[in-house]
């Protein structure tokens, strides 16, 4: 009898086993990335057709291979390691030389820094002195302008050094005449022109403003206080004389005189003169 039993399929079984999705060896490059993380790496193996025990075996095998390679590397370069140790001998002396050199460099830098600081302080001092000199020059110029303004006002008021009117009849007569012909239509009944009185007031106020800029506590300004008071009294005296001579019907000239009083800050003095004039008129 022929053998009818056929235990076939051995070739097909081998073929099926060859077609199974065997896992590829673990890539070595995956372990070399700087951001390698074991948990992240294991999570990428979830679709790997391999049992956990086989995976452990592969990882142990990979670890043994790496340890062996490291040992071989050390053995191959052992002589180099020994020579490296010998070459490092005497390094302390070299380090000490470098340290001393750095200390010397540090001292030099600190010395230069001190020199720069001294120069900076000198420059700051010179700048302050320059500012102070400039300020004093400005104050001196202001004082010179004040002195010139006082002299010009005295000349305008025709005052002597003691604060009284000059006795020159030509100058006295000139005070009642027109100033370059500009006030011939502004004078009243031989009185002083309103433009000249206004100019006196403006000159006085200009000097007063310059004094305020310098400072009321400056010795020169304090010394000129009596001088300023005399000139202001003289202006008020001229204004009073002009106001007493002004007719009540001449309202234009009267209002201009009152405006000069207001500019000088003496409205009460104007009221006082008007009351005196009414008292004289009524008597």
């Amino acid at each position: 009898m022929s053998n009818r039993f056929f235990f076939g399929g051995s070739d097909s079984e081998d073929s099926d086993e060859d077609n199974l999705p065997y896992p590829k060896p673990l890539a070595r490059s995956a372990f070399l990335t700087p951001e390698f993380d074991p948990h992240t790496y294991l999570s990428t193996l979830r679709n790997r057709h391999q049992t956990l025990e086989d995976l452990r075996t592969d990882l142990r095998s990979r670890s043994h291979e790496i340890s062996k390679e490291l040992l071989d590397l050390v053995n191959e370069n052992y002589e180099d390691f020994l020579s490296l140790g010998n070459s490092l001998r005497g390094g302390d002396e070299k380090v000490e030389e470098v340290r001393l050199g750095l200390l010397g460099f540090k001292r030099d830098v600190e010395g230069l820094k001190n020199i720069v600081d001294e120069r900076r302080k000198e420059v700051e001092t010179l700048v302050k002195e320059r500012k102070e000199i400039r300020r004093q020059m400005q104050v001196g110029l202001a004082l010179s302008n004040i002195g010139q303004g006082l002299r010009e006002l005295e000349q305008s008021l025709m005052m002597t050094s003691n604060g009284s009117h000059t006795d020159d009849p030509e100058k006295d007569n000139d005070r009642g005449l027109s100033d370059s012909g500009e006030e011939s239509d502004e004078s009243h009944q031989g009185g002083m022109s309103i433009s000249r009185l206004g100019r006196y007031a403006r000159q006085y106020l200009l000097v007063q403003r310059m004094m305020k800029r310098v400072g009321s506590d400056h010795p020169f300004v304090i010394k000129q206080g009596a001088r300023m008071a005399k000139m202001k009294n003289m202006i008020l005296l001229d204004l009073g004389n002009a106001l007493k001579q002004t007719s009540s019907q001449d309202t234009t000239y009267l209002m201009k005189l009152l405006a000069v009083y207001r500019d000088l800050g003496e409205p009460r003095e104007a009221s006082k003169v008007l009351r005196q004039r009414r008292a004289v008129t009524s008597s």
Side-chain angles (χ1 to χ4, degrees), residues 123-173:
V123 171
E124 290 178 352
T125 301
L126 293 175
V127 170
K128 290 180 180 179
E129 291 178 356
R130 180 183 177 183
K131 290 181 179 179
E132 180 62 21
I133 292 174
R134 182 176 297 177
R135 187 191 67 82
Q136 292 178 359
M137 290 177 60
Q138 292 176 349
V139 172
L141 180 60
L143 295 177
S144 177
N145 292 334
I146 291 173
Q148 182 179 355
L150 289 171
R151 289 190 298 270
E152 291 177 353
L153 183 56
E154 285 178 342
Q155 293 175 0
S156 298
L157 292 172
M158 301 174 190
M159 297 172 61
T160 60
S161 59
N162 60 4
S164 61
H165 279 288
T166 59
D167 296 330
D168 191 342
E170 293 182 0
K171 294 182 178 180
D172 291 339
N173 292 332

